[in-house]
Amino acid sequence: MKRKLETSEMIFKVISYTFLSIFSLACLYPFLYAVSASISGGHAVDYGEIVLFPKDIQFDAFALMFNDNMFWNAYSNTLFLTFYGTVWALFVAILGGYALSKKRLLFRRFFNFFLVFTMLFSAGLVPQYLNYLDTKAAFNSIGITDDKWLVVIAMGMAAMNIILLRNAFEGVPSEIEEAAIVDGATEFQVLRKVYIPMCKSTIATVALFFAISRWNGYFWARQMISNSNEHPLQVFIRLRLEEYTDPEAMAGWNEVFSSDSVIYALIVCSIVPILIIYPFIQKYFAKGVNAGGVKE
């Protein structure tokens, strides 16, 4: 019996590792292809000769991109939206999750139900768009003409992340809070010195969710930011893609690299910051999701 269990366990491990290896390669291949296409010659890219490794290596596409002031402007806008958007959304999520975790909160069940209800049924795209237009008009009326702040404030609510933090806060033993209150701690001190340190894994995970969402944000940034100098990187990439696929705009293009190489170079540069940050937060990921997603 023991030998049969060892054999079945070995078979399971072989199948699992094989499947995970294939899945990992499938996820890694698009990024490797983008890197190869960004540094390959124009003929190889245009005629589909790139499979995995680059051909006729050149870095002119990156040079063209780095010399484009609009690229750096879009990059700075993305950093602005990511940083302030994450800070604001995390601030709202922490306060909301902390309040909803308290049984003494008046109408707690109603607020929790209402929060979950918005995840199942939304008002729709058009009402949301009209709501953002009214918010934009209100911002302009008080002198805030930078549309990036509209995207930061408007996208600060995420029901799923508030629920994750609420569940994590509910897992903190009430005795610790009671001891802090006996020692004279205020409500905000309890949150700052007890709940946040004990739930830092979940908070780090939620912060990663917010940061990736803001970094990859395209649709609402495209719709709500009218000034081209305020467009983030994802909108900039899309506009460049439309430009490079326009035959009239590309008339007379005689560079040694393909226009697609510039797009791939932009994609690579937009992915690199996330690849750098993610390994430092990965250790909190599984622990944070488990702590916030499971309620005992």
Side-chain angles (χ1 to χ4, degrees), residues 97-199:
Y98 178 73
L100 293 174
S101 68
K102 300 303 177 185
K103 295 182 180 180
R104 62 180 183 271
L105 177 67
L106 194 62
F107 304 121
R108 176 175 179 265
R109 289 188 176 182
F110 169 77
F111 289 130
N112 279 304
F113 170 78
F114 188 75
L115 190 67
V116 175
F117 185 83
T118 60
M119 296 173 57
L120 303 177
F121 304 97
S122 63
L125 187 63
V126 174
Q128 188 175 2
Y129 175 71
L130 295 177
N131 186 28
Y132 287 166
L133 284 182
D134 292 339
T135 305
K136 183 177 181 179
F139 276 30
N140 293 334
S141 65
I142 60 176
I144 302 177
T145 58
D146 191 343
D147 293 336
K148 296 195 298 294
W149 284 111
L150 171 63
V151 177
V152 168
I153 300 299
M155 306 303 293
M157 181 69 177
M160 182 61 189
N161 292 332
I162 292 178
I163 291 174
L164 285 175
L165 289 175
R166 182 202 67 188
N167 293 345
F169 290 150
E170 287 178 347
V172 176
S174 58
E175 293 78 7
I176 300 178
E177 178 183 0
E178 293 172 359
I181 294 175
V182 170
D183 290 337
T186 63
E187 199 74 47
F188 283 102
Q189 287 176 331
V190 171
L191 172 62
R192 181 168 58 89
K193 296 184 178 181
V194 176
Y195 280 85
I196 291 179
M198 296 190 68
C199 299

Side-chain angles (χ1 to χ4, degrees), residues 26-238:
C27 295
L28 185 61
Y29 176 75
F31 178 72
L32 295 178
Y33 178 83
V35 173
S36 297
S38 65
I39 60 176
S40 296
H43 184 274
V45 175
D46 291 335
Y47 288 90
E49 298 178 1
I50 306 300
V51 178
L52 181 60
F53 298 104
K55 293 184 178 180
D56 304 327
I57 296 178
Q58 50 75 37
F59 295 95
D60 294 340
F62 281 96
L64 176 66
M65 181 184 63
F66 290 152
N67 290 327
D68 188 350
N69 292 330
M70 291 298 294
F71 165 75
W72 295 111
N73 188 58
Y75 220 101
S76 64
N77 292 333
T78 300
L79 292 174
F80 177 93
L81 292 174
T82 301
F83 177 77
Y84 288 104
T86 301
V87 170
W88 168 248
L90 197 60
F91 174 78
V92 173
I94 289 175
L95 293 183
Y98 178 73
L100 293 174
S101 68
K102 300 303 177 185
K103 295 182 180 180
R104 62 180 183 271
L105 177 67
L106 194 62
F107 304 121
R108 176 175 179 265
R109 289 188 176 182
F110 169 77
F111 289 130
N112 279 304
F113 170 78
F114 188 75
L115 190 67
V116 175
F117 185 83
T118 60
M119 296 173 57
L120 303 177
F121 304 97
S122 63
L125 187 63
V126 174
Q128 188 175 2
Y129 175 71
L130 295 177
N131 186 28
Y132 287 166
L133 284 182
D134 292 339
T135 305
K136 183 177 181 179
F139 276 30
N140 293 334
S141 65
I142 60 176
I144 302 177
T145 58
D146 191 343
D147 293 336
K148 296 195 298 294
W149 284 111
L150 171 63
V151 177
V152 168
I153 300 299
M155 306 303 293
M157 181 69 177
M160 182 61 189
N161 292 332
I162 292 178
I163 291 174
L164 285 175
L165 289 175
R166 182 202 67 188
N167 293 345
F169 290 150
E170 287 178 347
V172 176
S174 58
E175 293 78 7
I176 300 178
E177 178 183 0
E178 293 172 359
I181 294 175
V182 170
D183 290 337
T186 63
E187 199 74 47
F188 283 102
Q189 287 176 331
V190 171
L191 172 62
R192 181 168 58 89
K193 296 184 178 181
V194 176
Y195 280 85
I196 291 179
M198 296 190 68
C199 299
K200 63 180 181 180
S201 298
T202 305
I203 294 174
T205 302
V206 170
L208 178 63
F209 290 160
F210 281 131
I212 293 177
S213 175
R214 300 303 178 271
W215 185 270
N216 293 328
Y218 164 75
F219 180 77
W220 288 115
R222 178 74 182 270
Q223 296 299 322
M224 303 310 300
I225 299 179
S226 55
N227 188 350
S228 60
N229 291 325
E230 298 177 4
H231 282 160
L233 189 60
Q234 306 303 328
V235 177
F236 176 77
I237 292 175
R238 178 60 186 175

Side-chain angles (χ1 to χ4, degrees), residues 9-21:
E9 185 177 356
M10 181 62 66
I11 294 174
F12 175 77
K13 287 183 177 180
V14 170
I15 295 175
S16 299
Y17 285 124
T18 302
F19 175 77
L20 290 175
S21 299

